[in-house]
Amino acid sequence: MHPKMPEGYSPRLYNEDLGPVKQTWNWYNIFAFWMSDVHSVGGYVFAASLFALGLASWQVLIALLVGIGFIQVIANLLAKPSQQAAVPYPVICRLAFGVFGANIPAVIRGLIAVAWYGVQTYLASSALIIVVLRFFPSMQHFAEVQFAGLSYLGWMGFLALWVVQAAVFWSGMNSIRRFIDWAGPVVYAVMFLLAGWIVWKAGWSNISFTLSEKSLSGWEAFGQVVMATALVVSYFSGPTLNFGDFSRYCVSMADVKRGNFWGLPVNFLAFSLVTVVIVSGTLPVFGEMLHDPIATVARIDNSVAVLLGAFAFVTATIGINIVANFVSPAFDFANCAPSKISWRAGGMIAAVASVFITPWNLFNNPEVIHYTLDVLAAFIGPLFGILLVDYYLVKKQQIDVDALFDDSPNGRYWYSHGFNPTAIQALVVATLIGLVFTFTPWFKPLANFAWFTGCFLGGGGYWLLARREMKAATPAMA
């Protein structure tokens, strides 16, 4: 039995998943969200890569702190409208883009999540196969026959994780909250045990906080610090954009900010330091530097330790995939047709689509990955700028929650046939400029800062256009 629709709400804009919810989450739930987002095979490899740029350890720490501090500020700013109205990211987008125009930023974020969902599932399944082959070497022949670019064993691992993630997601947001509440601490426990074992075997004198053979100094080092800072911001830009999907459940902004503090600067710094200790120690212990945590635990001469480590890191990747790449498209695609697509249906659309893009072929082509990330940044950066400028400068932090679900021409967020031409124009112009930066060799240095240029151009362009509209409307109203 479907709950009664609130009076004045349109079925083209409302279902129970998109409407205001009861707020019960506290700061620990937000902290656990960020732990799940950071603690993954991808997060492990990313953190280690920052220490391989040829910088001194203190320079890497500066880049980490500046980058993650910037993300913390942006996360707090983007969390507020969703926490205030208790609605998810695509519904908040109706403020700036219009009740139907909000589908544009929603679909952009949803498609990004589909791509990353597939890649993260593939990474976790690839690492899991290493452990499977250790215990069942007879399955090696399944790794030598391929279909659609992936071995039969690869398909088994990918589909197994695909089903597990879908099962956790299908059980609902309360189950997801309970899952991420324990997943993060479990990964930390395993990582500290692994780091302790590595240090014991290698000796503290053989642990280095620089994973690169080259050493940079002067302006070259400064440039890499700036680059590392930009990489941190870009890495977290996806889950930060739709952070409102989770802050909507929080009882207060004080809880959100406290959770962001522990989950972002404190958690990411601790995770990065433990990661570099483990990666650095693999060289003296195993004779080669291993950047994959599951490949590392697979080398341990203890079957229980291998199983525990593999379970922890696979659990971690399931966590990040659900919070960053499953929940987001679930709301985003449901927003396109609320009366036909539920939150669960939206998530399953994303999960099925992630198989058809064959993420292993995408990931195994570095050039494709590079351009894909830069193109996505060109789209995602302007959305940050437009949403922040609209809520804080244009709307003055005022939200008419009922109007977010009103599709009548007199509705506050109707604009022009449900679309706000000002926001769409600012998005298109900023995105096109970002794509020029990405594909023009002369602008290649700027491509790595696509998020920043996009955010500035999108927000600045929207502010100028909105001010012009407000000035033009003032005499007309008079």
Side-chain angles (χ1 to χ4, degrees), residues 241-429:
L241 179 63
N242 68 287
F243 181 50
D245 289 340
F246 298 89
S247 68
R248 69 183 295 217
Y249 296 102
C250 227
V251 294
S252 70
M253 269 307 296
D255 279 288
V256 173
K257 291 178 179 179
R258 186 181 177 190
N260 284 346
F261 171 75
W262 287 102
L264 285 167
V266 176
N267 173 52
F268 185 53
L269 183 60
F271 180 82
S272 299
L273 291 175
V274 177
T275 295
V276 74
V277 167
I278 296 172
V279 174
S280 175
T282 58
L283 182 59
V285 174
F286 302 116
E288 61 177 314
M289 193 172 288
L290 302 174
H291 291 83
D292 186 326
I294 298 184
T296 301
V297 298
R299 296 285 192 96
I300 300 175
D301 294 327
N302 185 299
S303 297
V304 174
V306 172
L307 288 174
L308 180 62
F311 170 78
F313 283 107
V314 168
T315 298
T317 301
I318 292 174
I320 185 177
N321 243 358
I322 289 175
V323 301
N325 304 318
F326 220 144
V327 171
S328 172
F331 285 123
D332 295 334
F333 295 146
N335 190 72
C336 296
S339 62
K340 297 180 176 64
I341 303 176
S342 67
W343 178 74
R344 286 184 172 88
M348 294 312 297
I349 289 172
V352 172
S354 72
V355 179
F356 285 98
I357 65 171
T358 61
W360 44 90
N361 293 323
L362 178 68
F363 183 78
N364 289 328
N365 189 325
E367 188 173 352
V368 171
I369 277 285
H370 170 73
Y371 279 112
T372 299
L373 290 176
D374 286 343
V375 167
L376 294 179
F379 278 92
I380 208 172
L383 293 177
F384 278 89
I386 293 169
L387 294 174
L388 290 174
V389 166
D390 180 77
Y391 176 69
Y392 287 97
L393 300 182
V394 177
K395 302 296 193 303
K396 307 294 185 184
Q397 304 182 44
Q398 300 298 312
I399 302 176
D400 184 341
V401 177
D402 292 337
L404 292 172
F405 302 94
D406 181 3
D407 65 353
S408 69
N410 295 324
R412 187 170 181 176
Y413 307 117
W414 176 255
Y415 297 107
S416 176
H417 304 288
F419 296 83
N420 183 3
T422 302
I424 295 171
Q425 184 179 344
L427 175 63
V428 170
V429 171

Side-chain angles (χ1 to χ4, degrees), residues 423-456:
I424 295 171
Q425 184 179 344
L427 175 63
V428 170
V429 171
T431 300
L432 289 176
I433 294 174
L435 293 176
V436 169
F437 288 163
T438 298
F439 291 103
T440 305
W442 195 81
F443 291 111
K444 189 175 180 180
L446 285 176
N448 295 311
F449 301 93
W451 186 92
F452 293 93
T453 55
C455 184
F456 175 78

